[in-house]
Amino acid sequence: MKTILFAAFTCLLFISISCNNNAATSENKETTPEQKNIAAFETVSRAFDSGDANAVDSVVADDFIDHSDHGDVKGKDSLKAMITTMHTAVKDSKTETINTAASGDYVYGWMHYKGTSDGSMGMPKGPYDMTSVELVKFKDGKAVEHWAFMQPQEMMKMMAPPPGMGDMNKMDSAKMKK
């Protein structure tokens, strides 16, 4: 009798473990909409570094809007053109995602950008190192809107200095206050 109970208990234990492992495995395979949106956000970030504009086709809506400092730029093709232009102007672009979070249809990314500008996009020629917060709205798993937020000193790094001002990125702000 002990042998039968031991065998039955052992079988139940293995079945229980097997069911729990299968449940955990299926939970790991399924992702939430927020996780999918973060993965899409990262796909677009990698496209800027690689220059592969076609990488965004599956994660960006055709009617995508980039709310830029120059006004709204509409269409996925405009984003793809920006990816190509940026990669041409900054061949050594490196994008690091410091942190991301998703809430409903929105993904927030704290980003760190490094590279060397060739000076063709209005940025000073030479190296840059800056951060921003990127916000992307998703609908049905595709990016539909984008906003970027930077502190004023970060924005200044992207602008060519006025004539006679030299390299504003290297100015000592403590001396400027005097």
Side-chain angles (χ1 to χ4, degrees), residues 61-161:
D62 291 336
D63 59 350
F64 174 81
I65 301 172
D66 183 17
H67 302 284
S68 77
D69 55 335
H70 302 294
D72 290 351
V73 180
K74 298 180 180 181
K76 176 171 45 177
D77 290 337
S78 295
L79 174 64
K80 291 170 75 169
M82 174 57 78
I83 290 169
T84 301
T85 301
M86 282 292 296
H87 188 69
T88 300
V90 187
K91 293 190 185 320
D92 65 344
S93 174
K94 299 282 186 265
T95 303
E96 173 193 4
T97 303
I98 298 169
N99 198 345
T100 57
S103 177
D105 293 335
Y106 292 90
V107 172
Y108 309 83
W110 179 17
M111 310 301 288
H112 180 219
Y113 303 104
K114 289 177 106 174
T116 308
S117 170
D118 69 2
S120 67
M121 293 191 58
M123 291 174 62
K125 188 175 183 175
Y128 66 88
D129 184 356
M130 60 192 177
T131 60
S132 75
V133 173
E134 309 286 332
L135 170 62
V136 180
K137 180 179 181 181
F138 286 84
K139 183 178 179 185
D140 300 325
K142 292 194 173 192
V144 293
E145 292 184 81
H146 167 262
W147 298 261
F149 303 94
M150 290 185 175
Q151 292 182 318
Q153 63 266 35
E154 294 293 309
M155 290 174 58
M156 294 299 291
K157 293 177 183 179
M158 295 175 39
M159 298 170 27

